[in-house]
Amino acid sequence: MLVSGALNQRSGGVMDPARLTAADMDAAVDAIRSARRKDGELFTRNSARSMAHKLFALLDFGRRTGLMADAPIAFARHRRRRHSIGHDDEDESGKAIPEPVIAQLDAHLETFGAGIPYGRLTDDEVRHVLRTAYVLLRDTGRRPREICSLRSNCLEHSGGDYELIWDNYKSKRHRRRLPITRETAQAVQEWLPVRSRLRTPSVSEGHLFPTITGDHIDP
């Protein structure tokens, strides 16, 4: 109701999904940011982030299932347009992958890591680790170093919502929290059992992604 109300208030209203634009997404996110409770107070940052998270998750579901096939790609979350809620600017100024590049990479996701040696990892493990790293880079907009340095316990889950715990090395601010979608969290969860079977040198201990050295343990 909140988002649909904001879209209907725009010039001429927006009832046709094919007419949705990036400006409409801006309006939807602004409506969430300025939403107020019944007592007139603004929703807390956690509540606003949860609403935005559900909006983006719904859009992802609609596109995956074809229910929103007519909606232009511009009507989506764009980090460059400040569509994240409840985080400091320093935490939001990551290195988002350009949308046209994402489209090309997503189209070839199953080929990631094919024929690329990575220490003693098997071909399947190489493909899995690279896909997981890419999904995190794509969905979070974090810098490569911030993704590479994630800990194995980087996920926190509460009330159906997931957060990524990461370190902002550029600003020297550690254990930052970033809300992520269930699908992004699932990519990490599916990688963790594979990661646990790898014997890695001490420098990799406790990290989500291993170095290229170290012995491999068969499942």
Side-chain angles (χ1 to χ4, degrees):
M1 292 294 292
L2 178 66
V3 171
S4 60
L7 295 179
N8 285 332
Q9 290 176 13
R10 289 179 55 75
S11 179
V14 184
M15 301 301 293
D16 181 3
R19 294 173 51 206
L20 292 167
T21 66
D24 293 317
M25 178 56 74
D26 291 345
V29 173
D30 286 342
I32 293 174
R33 284 199 182 101
S34 60
R36 294 180 179 273
R37 303 180 312 209
K38 291 182 179 180
D39 61 5
E41 294 294 323
L42 288 170
F43 279 101
T44 64
R45 292 201 308 175
N46 282 342
S47 294
R49 282 187 298 185
S50 177
M51 286 189 281
H53 170 86
K54 291 174 181 177
L55 169 63
F56 298 136
L58 180 63
L59 290 175
D60 289 343
F61 174 80
R63 287 196 164 97
R64 286 198 313 273
T65 58
L67 295 175
M68 291 194 64
D70 294 335
I73 192 64
F75 187 71
R77 179 181 185 177
H78 292 278
R79 298 173 187 87
R80 296 186 299 278
R81 296 180 71 92
R82 311 297 297 157
H83 286 169
S84 294
I85 292 177
H87 295 281
D88 298 333
D89 288 346
E90 291 178 346
D91 285 351
E92 288 301 327
S93 58
K95 298 292 184 181
I97 303 174
E99 297 297 329
V101 176
I102 287 177
Q104 294 182 46
L105 292 173
D106 284 351
H108 298 87
L109 192 58
E110 294 305 316
T111 67
F112 275 30
I116 298 177
Y118 193 81
R120 298 188 180 183
L121 272 65
T122 66
D123 290 343
D124 285 343
E125 289 165 348
V126 172
R127 286 193 290 268
H128 201 159
V129 68
L130 292 183
R131 283 200 307 270
T132 305
Y134 165 68
V135 167
L136 285 167
L137 284 166
R138 179 194 68 190
D139 294 354
T140 67
R142 297 304 90 207
R143 301 175 180 88
R145 182 187 178 189
E146 293 161 353
I147 295 300
C148 291
S149 63
L150 288 172
R151 307 290 296 182
S152 296
N153 59 351
C154 62
L155 284 185
E156 289 199 0
H157 176 229
S158 176
D161 294 328
Y162 290 89
E163 289 187 321
L164 184 74
I165 309 301
W166 61 285
D167 293 330
N168 187 332
Y169 289 100
K170 184 175 181 179
S171 301
K172 298 181 180 180
R173 305 171 73 181
H174 298 288
R175 292 193 61 78
R176 312 305 295 165
R177 293 176 177 272
L178 181 71
I180 59 176
T181 66
R182 184 182 301 273
E183 290 75 16
T184 306
Q186 183 177 354
V188 176
Q189 291 169 330
E190 291 176 350
W191 164 247
L192 284 173
V194 180
R195 175 66 179 92
S196 68
R197 295 195 294 266
L198 305 177
R199 183 187 298 129
T200 59
S202 58
V203 69
S204 288
E205 186 175 351
H207 285 84
L208 185 62
F209 300 116
T211 63
I212 62 173
T213 58
D215 295 329
H216 170 256
I217 297 179
D218 291 326

